[in-house]
Structure formats: C-alpha cells, structure tokens
C-alpha cells in the first residue's frame, strides 16, 4: 500500500501544471527569447537593403523634378545607396540625362539648368510619324535639304542623319485638330547643343525632316 501511494504521488507531481516559479520553465522561456533576438539581429546585420528614390515616369533633360515625380523603394545595393537619392532628401533641380520610368534616380542625373547640354527643338514631321511617337521615344533625325535653285515642291537632296538617338520631349496632343505637316503642330526632340544651330537652319530653310525610331524605342500602342 505504501508503495502504491508513493507511485501515485509521483504521477500527480508529473501531471501538475508548471508554475512560473519553476526554474526550468523560466530558463526555457529565456532561451526562446534570446534565440528570437539573436535571429532578428542576424537578419538586420546581413540585410543590405536601403531606401532610395525611383522615377515614377520618364524624366528627360530639362525637366524640373518634384516630389510627385519619384517614389521611395527599398532595394539591395552594393555599397549602400551611395550615388543615389534617398529619403528624406528630394532630388529637386533639373534633369541632366534621361532617367527611365522605374529607374533609380542617380545623383549624377540631377543638377542645375545651366548644366543641361541639350535643347528641345520643334521639327515639322508628317502626321503619321507624330501619331506613332510618345514622350521618351528614341529617334534618329534625318534631314533632306532643298536642292539649291530648285523650285519644285519635291526637290530635295539626299537625306543625311543629323542627330542620332535623340529623345522625343513632346508630341502634339491628340485633340489639337491641326496636322503636323501644316506646321501648326510640331514634335519636339532633345538635340545636343552642338547640333541646335544646324537643325534650326535646316528647318527654316524648308528641309524635310524624318524621325526614324531606334530599335527598342518606346512607341504609342495601338
């Protein structure tokens, strides 16, 4: 009988609900907490993600950047965010080189208006050409000058490529009601400063301008 009571006591002791005063329970809880803290610290140590600014839409040379043009994203970059804008700073200033939609905004792409090395020049092209282009399209500018002394409407010289891979800055609005070929609307392209005078002279002289989209250029979808 004595042995039975002793066994029952041991069984009851094993089934008893653990108390917060139980040293083994406290030690177990502390071990779990420590493991969680160490895991979080390890993840933080090896997480190389940084917050940087990304362009919401294509930014072109000459554009003035505002907070509405960018968004904050978290990415992994070797060397941190060096060379890129990040919060709480905003790029501000003027775009010096094209930054495509979805591209991180590098500090080298933003500066002062005086640093912009291209000008937006309006050129008359056919309506069909203008209808296929969008802001940010990349085109080669071909110019066919009038034949000296010629009086016919189609007397043009062999076309030459005046500007390679120019970016379209602005296209006529769909509801303008004026055909581009009439001169009422124009497609504006970003032309390097060294080519501005030559292109303006050609347009003023009645030259025929053709914008040829480069391979992979953004175009208006049908």
């Amino acid at each position: 009988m004595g042995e039975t009571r002793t066994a029952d006591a041991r069984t009851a002791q094993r089934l008893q609900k653990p108390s917060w005063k139980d040293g083994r329970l406290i030690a177990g809880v502390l071990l779990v907490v420590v493991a969680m803290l160490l895991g979080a610290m390890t993840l933080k140590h090896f997480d190389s993600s940084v917050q940087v600014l990304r362009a919401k839409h294509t930014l072109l040379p000459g554009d003035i950047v505002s907070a509405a043009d960018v968004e904050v994203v978290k990415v992994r970059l070797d060397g941190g965010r060096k060379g890129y804008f990040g919060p709480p700073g905003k790029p501000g200033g003027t775009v010096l080189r094209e930054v495509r939609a979805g591209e991180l905004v590098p500090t080298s792409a933003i500066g002062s208006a005086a640093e912009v090395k291209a000008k937006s020049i309006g050129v008359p092209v056919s309506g069909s050409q203008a209808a296929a282009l969008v802001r940010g399209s990349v085109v080669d500018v071909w110019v066919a000058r009038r034949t000296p002394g010629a009086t016919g409407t189609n007397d043009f010289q062999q076309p030459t490529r005046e500007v390679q891979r120019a970016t379209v800055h602005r296209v006529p609005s769909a509801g303008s009601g004026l055909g581009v070929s009439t001169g009422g609307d124009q497609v504006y392209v970003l032309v390097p400063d060294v080519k501005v005078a030559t292109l303006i002279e050609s347009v003023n002289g009645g030259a025929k301008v053709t914008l040829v989209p480069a391979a992979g250029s953004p175009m208006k979808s049908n």
Side-chain angles (χ1 to χ4, degrees), residues 94-113:
T94 305
V95 180
L96 304 181
R97 69 165 181 81
E98 182 180 359
V99 180
R100 289 286 176 180
E103 182 182 347
L104 303 183
V105 182
T107 55
S108 60
I110 310 296
S112 66

Side-chain angles (χ1 to χ4, degrees), residues 167-192:
T167 302
V168 173
H169 190 245
R170 182 159 59 89
V171 296
S173 60
S176 64
L178 296 174
V180 175
S181 60
T182 67
D185 285 331
Q186 295 177 315
V187 173
Y188 284 77
V189 294
L190 292 167
V191 178

Side-chain angles (χ1 to χ4, degrees), residues 79-130:
R81 72 182 192 190
K82 183 179 180 181
Y84 295 93
F85 284 102
K90 299 297 181 184
T94 305
V95 180
L96 304 181
R97 69 165 181 81
E98 182 180 359
V99 180
R100 289 286 176 180
E103 182 182 347
L104 303 183
V105 182
T107 55
S108 60
I110 310 296
S112 66
E115 297 177 89
V116 180
K117 303 302 181 183
K119 300 294 185 292
S120 182
I121 305 298
V123 295
V125 297
S126 68
S128 58
Q129 288 185 64

Side-chain angles (χ1 to χ4, degrees), residues 20 39-40 56 59 118 123 131 138 146 178 185:
W20 284 106
K56 287 185 178 180
L59 305 175
V123 295
V138 180
R146 284 193 172 277
L178 296 174
D185 285 331

Side-chain angles (χ1 to χ4, degrees), residues 9-184:
R10 286 199 298 265
T11 301
Q13 185 178 19
R14 286 198 302 269
L15 297 177
Q16 186 178 4
K17 186 177 181 180
S19 171
W20 284 106
K21 295 180 181 180
D22 190 329
R24 292 171 299 177
L25 178 60
I26 295 175
V29 171
L30 288 176
L31 286 175
V32 172
V33 172
V34 170
M36 292 175 62
L37 290 175
L38 288 176
M41 292 174 64
T42 301
L43 289 175
K44 184 177 181 180
H45 176 74
F46 288 102
D47 184 8
S48 58
S49 298
V50 294
Q51 287 187 323
V52 293
L53 300 185
R54 180 174 64 187
K56 287 185 178 180
H57 51 81
T58 299
L59 305 175
L60 300 179
D63 289 349
I64 306 299
V65 185
S66 69
D69 298 316
V70 296
E71 60 186 353
V72 178
V73 294
K74 193 173 183 180
V75 296
R76 290 187 177 182
L77 295 173
D78 292 336
R81 72 182 192 190
K82 183 179 180 181
Y84 295 93
F85 284 102
K90 299 297 181 184
T94 305
V95 180
L96 304 181
R97 69 165 181 81
E98 182 180 359
V99 180
R100 289 286 176 180
E103 182 182 347
L104 303 183
V105 182
T107 55
S108 60
I110 310 296
S112 66
E115 297 177 89
V116 180
K117 303 302 181 183
K119 300 294 185 292
S120 182
I121 305 298
V123 295
V125 297
S126 68
S128 58
Q129 288 185 64
L133 299 174
V134 296
R135 173 182 161 87
S137 292
V138 180
V139 297
D140 289 344
V141 182
W142 288 78
V143 176
R145 295 175 176 81
R146 284 193 172 277
T147 304
T151 57
T153 57
N154 293 316
D155 291 328
F156 294 98
Q157 301 179 52
Q158 188 74 13
T160 59
R161 185 170 60 184
E162 293 298 322
V163 184
Q164 186 175 6
R165 296 191 65 81
T167 302
V168 173
H169 190 245
R170 182 159 59 89
V171 296
S173 60
S176 64
L178 296 174
V180 175
S181 60
T182 67

